[in-house]
Amino acid sequence: DQQVKQNSPSLSVQEGRISILNCDYTNSMFDYFLWYKKYPAEGPTFLISISSIKDKNEDGRFTVFLNKSAKHLSLHIVPSQPGDSAVYFCAASGTSGTYKYIFGTGTRLKVLA
Amino acid sequence: NAGVTQTPKFQVLKTGQSMTLQCAQDMNHNSMYWYRQDPGMGLRLIYYSASEGTTDKGEVPNGYNVSRLNKREFSLRLESAAPSQTSVYFCASSETTWYQETQYFGPGTRLLVL
Protein backbone atom coordinates (compact mmCIF):
# COMPACT_ATOMS: atom_id res chain seq x y z
CA ASP A 1 0.00 0.00 0.00
CA GLN A 2 1.66 3.17 -1.23
CA GLN A 3 1.35 5.80 1.49
CA VAL A 4 2.97 8.50 -0.64
CA LYS A 5 1.90 8.70 -4.26
CA GLN A 6 3.19 10.64 -7.21
CA ASN A 7 0.67 9.78 -9.88
CA SER A 8 2.43 11.47 -12.78
CA PRO A 9 5.53 9.50 -13.76
CA SER A 10 6.63 12.23 -16.15
CA LEU A 11 6.03 15.86 -17.02
CA SER A 12 7.29 18.07 -19.86
CA VAL A 13 7.31 21.85 -19.56
CA GLN A 14 8.60 24.62 -21.77
CA GLU A 15 11.52 26.66 -20.46
CA GLY A 16 10.34 29.75 -18.61
CA ARG A 17 6.94 28.27 -17.75
CA ILE A 18 5.74 26.92 -14.43
CA SER A 19 6.32 23.27 -13.49
CA ILE A 20 3.87 21.78 -11.00
CA LEU A 21 4.69 18.43 -9.47
CA ASN A 22 2.08 16.75 -7.31
CA CYS A 23 2.20 14.36 -4.39
CA ASP A 24 -0.61 12.74 -2.38
CA TYR A 25 -0.38 10.93 0.92
CA THR A 26 -2.74 8.74 2.88
CA ASN A 27 -1.36 8.73 6.42
CA SER A 28 -2.79 11.58 8.49
CA MET A 29 0.09 11.16 10.97
CA PHE A 30 2.55 12.59 8.44
CA ASP A 31 3.45 16.12 9.41
CA TYR A 32 6.71 16.83 7.63
CA PHE A 33 7.28 16.69 3.90
CA LEU A 34 10.30 17.04 1.69
CA TRP A 35 11.17 17.19 -1.97
CA TYR A 36 14.35 15.67 -3.33
CA LYS A 37 15.78 16.11 -6.79
CA LYS A 38 17.75 13.39 -8.54
CA TYR A 39 19.93 13.59 -11.63
CA PRO A 40 20.95 10.39 -13.49
CA ALA A 41 23.83 8.50 -11.87
CA GLU A 42 23.68 10.71 -8.78
CA GLY A 43 22.03 10.39 -5.40
CA PRO A 44 18.96 12.42 -4.47
CA THR A 45 19.65 15.92 -3.15
CA PHE A 46 17.42 17.82 -0.77
CA LEU A 47 15.43 20.61 -2.39
CA ILE A 48 12.81 22.01 -0.03
CA SER A 49 10.68 20.95 2.92
CA ILE A 50 7.49 21.97 4.69
CA SER A 51 6.08 21.30 8.11
CA SER A 52 2.36 20.76 8.62
CA ILE A 53 2.10 23.96 10.64
CA LYS A 54 2.59 25.82 7.35
CA ASP A 55 0.75 25.70 4.06
CA LYS A 56 3.50 27.23 1.93
CA ASN A 57 7.27 27.41 1.88
CA GLU A 58 9.37 29.26 -0.66
CA ASP A 59 13.00 29.05 -1.61
CA GLY A 60 13.93 31.02 -4.67
CA ARG A 61 12.24 29.55 -7.72
CA PHE A 62 10.85 26.65 -5.68
CA THR A 63 7.63 26.76 -3.65
CA VAL A 64 5.96 23.88 -1.89
CA PHE A 65 2.27 24.05 -1.04
CA LEU A 66 0.58 21.80 1.49
CA ASN A 67 -3.14 21.11 1.65
CA LYS A 68 -3.62 19.04 4.79
CA SER A 69 -7.35 18.50 4.37
CA ALA A 70 -6.77 17.04 0.90
CA LYS A 71 -3.56 15.28 1.98
CA HIS A 72 -1.86 16.82 -1.02
CA LEU A 73 1.32 18.74 -1.62
CA SER A 74 2.73 20.28 -4.72
CA LEU A 75 6.07 21.67 -5.83
CA HIS A 76 6.04 24.72 -8.10
CA ILE A 77 9.11 25.70 -10.08
CA VAL A 78 8.95 29.17 -11.61
CA PRO A 79 10.46 29.84 -14.06
CA SER A 80 11.48 26.37 -15.16
CA GLN A 81 15.00 25.98 -16.55
CA PRO A 82 16.57 23.16 -18.57
CA GLY A 83 18.82 22.39 -15.58
CA ASP A 84 15.71 21.52 -13.60
CA SER A 85 15.26 18.41 -15.74
CA ALA A 86 15.53 15.57 -13.21
CA VAL A 87 13.47 13.11 -11.22
CA TYR A 88 11.69 14.65 -8.24
CA PHE A 89 10.75 12.59 -5.20
CA CYS A 90 8.44 13.69 -2.44
CA ALA A 91 8.86 12.13 0.99
CA ALA A 92 6.84 12.26 4.18
CA SER A 93 7.46 11.55 7.82
CA GLY A 94 5.64 11.87 11.11
CA THR A 95 6.18 12.18 14.82
CA SER A 96 5.18 8.62 15.57
CA GLY A 97 8.73 7.80 16.54
CA THR A 98 12.21 8.58 15.38
CA TYR A 99 13.08 8.92 11.75
CA LYS A 100 11.10 7.15 9.07
CA TYR A 101 10.71 8.69 5.66
CA ILE A 102 8.31 7.27 3.10
CA PHE A 103 9.20 8.20 -0.46
CA GLY A 104 6.97 8.54 -3.49
CA THR A 105 7.81 6.86 -6.78
CA GLY A 106 9.14 10.02 -8.41
CA THR A 107 8.17 12.28 -11.31
CA ARG A 108 10.56 12.80 -14.20
CA LEU A 109 10.52 16.46 -15.22
CA LYS A 110 11.80 17.49 -18.62
CA VAL A 111 12.18 21.19 -19.28
CA LEU A 112 12.30 21.89 -22.99
CA ALA A 113 14.54 24.68 -24.25
CA ASN B 1 34.59 17.54 1.77
CA ALA B 2 33.34 14.57 -0.27
CA GLY B 3 30.01 14.16 1.55
CA VAL B 4 28.77 10.58 1.20
CA THR B 5 30.80 8.19 -0.92
CA GLN B 6 29.88 4.68 -2.04
CA THR B 7 31.87 1.86 -3.57
CA PRO B 8 31.59 0.18 -5.96
CA LYS B 9 29.59 2.22 -8.47
CA PHE B 10 28.48 -0.85 -10.36
CA GLN B 11 28.62 -4.59 -9.68
CA VAL B 12 27.45 -7.76 -11.39
CA LEU B 13 26.96 -10.86 -9.25
CA LYS B 14 25.81 -14.38 -9.89
CA THR B 15 23.00 -15.80 -7.78
CA GLY B 16 24.39 -17.05 -4.49
CA GLN B 17 27.49 -14.87 -4.47
CA SER B 18 28.15 -12.50 -1.61
CA MET B 19 29.37 -8.95 -1.57
CA THR B 20 29.65 -5.90 0.64
CA LEU B 21 28.66 -2.40 -0.39
CA GLN B 22 30.74 0.26 1.29
CA CYS B 23 29.61 3.69 2.42
CA ALA B 24 31.50 6.48 4.15
CA GLN B 25 30.61 10.03 5.15
CA ASP B 26 32.85 12.88 6.22
CA MET B 27 30.21 15.19 7.68
CA ASN B 28 30.52 13.84 11.23
CA HIS B 29 26.91 12.66 11.08
CA ASN B 30 25.61 10.28 13.71
CA SER B 31 22.98 8.54 11.61
CA MET B 32 23.38 6.53 8.44
CA TYR B 33 20.97 4.67 6.18
CA TRP B 34 20.78 2.17 3.35
CA TYR B 35 18.00 2.42 0.76
CA ARG B 36 17.19 0.58 -2.40
CA GLN B 37 15.45 2.06 -5.40
CA ASP B 38 13.55 -0.08 -7.88
CA PRO B 39 11.68 0.96 -11.04
CA GLY B 40 8.18 2.20 -10.26
CA MET B 41 8.91 2.35 -6.54
CA GLY B 42 10.22 5.00 -4.26
CA LEU B 43 13.33 4.63 -2.17
CA ARG B 44 12.78 1.97 0.46
CA LEU B 45 14.76 1.80 3.68
CA ILE B 46 16.71 -1.41 4.23
CA TYR B 47 18.58 -0.69 7.48
CA TYR B 48 19.61 2.33 9.42
CA SER B 49 22.03 3.19 12.18
CA ALA B 50 21.02 5.93 14.59
CA SER B 51 24.51 6.15 16.05
CA GLU B 52 27.79 4.30 16.13
CA GLY B 53 27.25 0.84 17.54
CA THR B 54 23.53 0.60 16.79
CA THR B 55 21.63 -0.72 13.79
CA ASP B 56 17.93 -1.23 13.14
CA LYS B 57 15.80 -2.80 10.45
CA GLY B 58 13.95 -0.67 7.99
CA GLU B 59 11.14 -1.59 5.63
CA VAL B 60 12.90 -4.28 3.55
CA PRO B 61 15.74 -5.87 5.59
CA ASN B 62 15.44 -9.49 4.47
CA GLY B 63 18.52 -10.81 2.70
CA TYR B 64 20.79 -8.07 4.02
CA ASN B 65 23.10 -7.42 6.95
CA VAL B 66 24.79 -4.21 7.99
CA SER B 67 27.78 -3.13 10.02
CA ARG B 68 28.38 0.30 11.47
CA LEU B 69 32.14 0.00 11.54
CA ASN B 70 32.72 3.42 13.09
CA LYS B 71 31.09 6.82 12.93
CA ARG B 72 32.14 7.32 9.31
CA GLU B 73 31.40 3.95 7.75
CA PHE B 74 28.26 1.87 7.27
CA SER B 75 28.43 -1.25 5.10
CA LEU B 76 25.68 -3.37 3.58
CA ARG B 77 26.28 -7.06 3.01
CA LEU B 78 24.45 -9.48 0.76
CA GLU B 79 25.34 -12.98 1.98
CA SER B 80 23.71 -14.88 -0.88
CA ALA B 81 22.60 -12.60 -3.68
CA ALA B 82 19.30 -13.20 -5.44
CA PRO B 83 17.95 -11.70 -8.69
CA SER B 84 15.32 -9.87 -6.61
CA GLN B 85 18.16 -7.85 -5.10
CA THR B 86 18.97 -6.30 -8.47
CA SER B 87 18.52 -2.62 -7.67
CA VAL B 88 20.24 0.70 -7.14
CA TYR B 89 21.45 1.07 -3.57
CA PHE B 90 21.83 4.45 -1.92
CA CYS B 91 23.57 5.23 1.32
CA ALA B 92 22.60 8.37 3.21
CA SER B 93 23.54 10.17 6.39
CA SER B 94 22.05 12.79 8.68
CA GLU B 95 23.10 14.47 11.87
CA THR B 96 20.48 12.65 13.93
CA THR B 97 17.41 10.52 13.30
CA TRP B 98 15.15 13.43 14.18
CA TYR B 99 12.38 13.21 11.62
CA GLN B 100 12.96 16.71 10.25
CA GLU B 101 16.63 16.13 9.57
CA THR B 102 17.78 16.44 6.00
CA GLN B 103 19.46 13.34 4.65
CA TYR B 104 22.46 13.50 2.37
CA PHE B 105 22.76 10.77 -0.21
CA GLY B 106 25.67 9.09 -1.90
CA PRO B 107 25.80 8.57 -5.69
CA GLY B 108 24.48 5.02 -5.52
CA THR B 109 25.67 1.50 -6.35
CA ARG B 110 24.00 -0.22 -9.27
CA LEU B 111 23.80 -3.97 -8.60
CA LEU B 112 22.83 -6.60 -11.12
CA VAL B 113 22.29 -10.16 -9.91
CA LEU B 114 22.13 -12.76 -12.66
Side-chain angles (χ1 to χ4, degrees), chain B residues 8-112:
Chain B
K9 285 188 167 52
F10 180 71
Q11 183 73 46
V12 180
L13 291 178
K14 293 182 180 176
T15 297
Q17 287 186 315
S18 62
M19 81 161 293
T20 300
L21 282 66
Q22 307 286 354
C23 174
Q25 53 91 9
D26 62 3
M27 295 175 282
N28 202 35
H29 285 166
N30 288 301
S31 304
M32 297 184 74
Y33 315 83
W34 275 105
Y35 289 89
R36 60 179 288 174
Q37 185 198 0
D38 301 294
M41 307 193 79
L43 283 79
R44 292 182 293 167
L45 183 66
I46 305 171
Y47 270 93
Y48 70 102
S49 170
S51 61
E52 187 179 352
T54 69
T55 60
D56 285 285
K57 294 178 180 179
E59 187 183 352
V60 288
N62 292 345
Y64 305 96
N65 286 302
V66 290
S67 295
R68 184 73 184 268
L69 305 168
N70 48 54
K71 192 171 186 180
R72 288 187 66 248
E73 298 172 292
F74 188 37
S75 62
L76 179 72
R77 183 160 178 83
L78 286 71
E79 290 292 351
S80 178
S84 61
Q85 293 178 305
T86 293
S87 188
V88 182
Y89 291 85
F90 291 101
C91 177
S93 71
S94 62
E95 194 163 335
T96 70
T97 54
W98 174 239
Y99 77 112
Q100 294 188 356
E101 285 280 356
T102 297
Q103 293 183 12
Y104 297 86
F105 286 83
T109 293
R110 190 173 295 272
L111 177 66
L112 175 62

Side-chain angles (χ1 to χ4, degrees), chain A residues 44-106:
Chain A
T45 55
F46 170 74
L47 191 57
I48 193 168
S49 63
I50 187 166
S51 166
S52 62
I53 61 172
K54 293 184 171 183
D55 54 18
K56 177 182 172 181
N57 190 26
E58 275 182 271
D59 184 1
R61 295 185 297 114
F62 302 92
T63 303
V64 55
F65 295 92
L66 176 63
N67 182 334
K68 290 186 288 293
S69 61
K71 294 192 181 70
H72 176 83
L73 64 154
S74 60
L75 175 68
H76 292 209
I77 307 173
V78 183
S80 301
Q81 299 173 354
D84 296 328
S85 297
V87 177
Y88 290 79
F89 292 97
C90 67
S93 68
T95 54
S96 58
T98 53
Y99 156 92
K100 188 166 186 177
Y101 285 121
I102 305 296
F103 284 82
T105 53

